[in-house]
Amino acid sequence: MNNTRRIINFETCDSTNDRLKELMKGGAVDGTVVTADVQTNGRGRVSRRWRTDSRDSIAMSVGFRAENLYSRGITEKGLPCITLLAAISVTDAIYHVLRMARDDTPVHIKWPNDIVINGRKVCGILTENILTDDHHFIIVGIGINVRHMDFPPDIADIAGNIEDEAGVMIDRDALIVSVAEELDRYIDLFAKTSDMSELKRHYNERLINMDRIVRVESQDEDFTGVSMGIDDTGALMVKRKSDSGESFVTKVSFGEVSVRGVYGYV
């Protein structure tokens, strides 16, 4: 556990990832957390914007120096899996605050890093690998919808918030602390092997896509198959059939890939 962690909150900032990047360059310790009540220019996957307008949601970023992750036992090849570790961490943290509210609503992961309750996305995660001549940081940006929000029309049918979906009030600040603590814990567990071999079962138990028909969309090809969960590298294994009817497995890696349910978001 990182007992020297700092949590720094801004009433307003453009991007918690960008603000934390500057703090890390200035010597902020590993595990420093930046949060914002209002975030005006946050980023999501595939260059989407993530705006936070009030304390009804959480905009937070957690930073690590690559050399310190290496010293903990994580290899460069294992760095992309931090995105998956963040997904498990957020899921467990939400479970923790829901238990505090005496609620046991199921919380799932949509591969690789969306958090889903009742089929609605309540959290998105963007991990940035920042490499310059002088610095190498891993910044994990996390956006969580805590309570009622007005969602843009293009995502209104898939987005939700924890309190509405679970039907209970939760402690926003306790959730921030729990996410940071869980992420640090899972990084330590991951560092023992620097792959997902010891954690893939835990991840797959939370995977809403597990054993479901999914559609994979990428720049190279689109195809449909059955999700079989992740492998040791964190890739999603999808069982599909060739034109001749033979079954084979395609491993879908991180990147500009969309994995959706055939009949909707999940």
Side-chain angles (χ1 to χ4, degrees):
M1 196 66 65
N2 186 352
N3 294 320
T4 61
R5 178 182 291 108
R6 298 172 61 203
I7 298 180
I8 303 168
N9 182 71
F10 294 94
E11 289 186 4
T12 302
C13 79
D14 50 357
S15 162
T16 56
N17 272 28
D18 289 347
R19 196 64 65 95
L20 180 54
K21 187 191 313 180
E22 295 307 313
L23 290 171
M24 296 291 287
K25 288 179 180 178
V29 298
D30 270 32
T32 292
V33 178
V34 166
T35 66
D37 297 338
V38 176
Q39 178 181 241
T40 60
N41 198 31
R43 295 183 295 277
R45 290 186 69 240
V46 201
S47 301
R48 294 188 180 97
R49 294 299 171 188
W50 187 287
R51 181 182 176 90
T52 303
D53 293 317
S54 71
R55 286 177 59 86
D56 288 345
S57 60
I58 292 171
M60 65 179 291
S61 298
V62 190
F64 304 93
R65 286 179 173 79
E67 62 265 29
N68 292 339
L69 293 175
Y70 298 153
S71 69
R72 291 167 77 170
I74 295 176
T75 65
E76 184 175 1
K77 189 176 180 180
L79 290 180
C81 287
I82 289 178
T83 297
L84 304 184
L85 303 181
I88 305 175
S89 301
V90 173
T91 304
D92 282 11
I94 293 174
Y95 268 126
H96 175 69
V97 297
L98 288 178
R99 282 194 296 268
M100 290 172 60
R102 301 178 182 239
D103 184 85
D104 59 357
T105 298
V107 184
H108 294 101
I109 299 169
K110 175 181 171 292
W111 186 89
N113 55 1
D114 286 351
I115 310 304
V116 178
I117 301 179
N118 295 333
R120 288 187 172 268
K121 178 178 175 178
V122 300
C123 171
I125 298 166
L126 175 68
T127 303
E128 294 191 85
N129 185 17
I130 299 164
L131 182 63
T132 69
D133 291 340
D134 302 316
H135 304 284
H136 188 183
F137 304 133
I138 307 298
I139 305 291
V140 183
I142 301 168
I144 306 174
N145 304 330
V146 175
R147 52 187 63 94
H148 181 73
M149 301 173 63
D150 291 323
F151 298 108
D154 59 326
I155 62 169
D157 60 334
I158 65 170
N161 66 78
I162 299 171
E163 290 191 351
D164 283 353
E165 299 305 325
V168 295
M169 294 183 64
I170 64 170
D171 187 327
R172 175 184 180 274
D173 294 335
L175 180 54
I176 291 171
V177 173
S178 185
V179 168
E181 290 179 346
E182 290 294 332
L183 181 55
D184 202 57
R185 182 171 73 89
Y186 277 112
I187 285 176
D188 277 340
L189 291 172
F190 178 79
K192 294 178 181 180
T193 58
S194 196
D195 62 26
M196 295 297 292
S197 57
E198 297 298 318
L199 292 172
K200 66 182 178 184
R201 179 179 176 182
H202 191 63
Y203 184 95
N204 286 333
E205 286 174 347
R206 287 154 172 72
L207 186 63
I208 199 167
N209 313 99
M210 192 70 180
D211 297 324
R212 292 190 179 188
I213 300 175
V214 296
R215 180 168 181 78
V216 179
E217 301 172 353
S218 70
Q219 292 180 347
D220 297 329
E221 65 171 333
D222 296 348
F223 63 88
T224 298
V226 177
S227 165
M228 300 173 62
I230 64 169
D231 66 5
D232 290 354
T233 70
L236 183 69
M237 298 181 293
V238 181
K239 186 177 181 179
R240 51 195 292 209
K241 289 188 175 182
S242 67
D243 293 339
S244 62
E246 296 180 351
S247 296
F248 65 101
V249 174
T250 296
K251 294 184 179 182
V252 182
S253 300
F254 307 130
E256 300 302 306
V257 177
S258 175
V259 176
R260 300 176 62 92
V262 171
Y263 302 109
Y265 172 63
V266 297

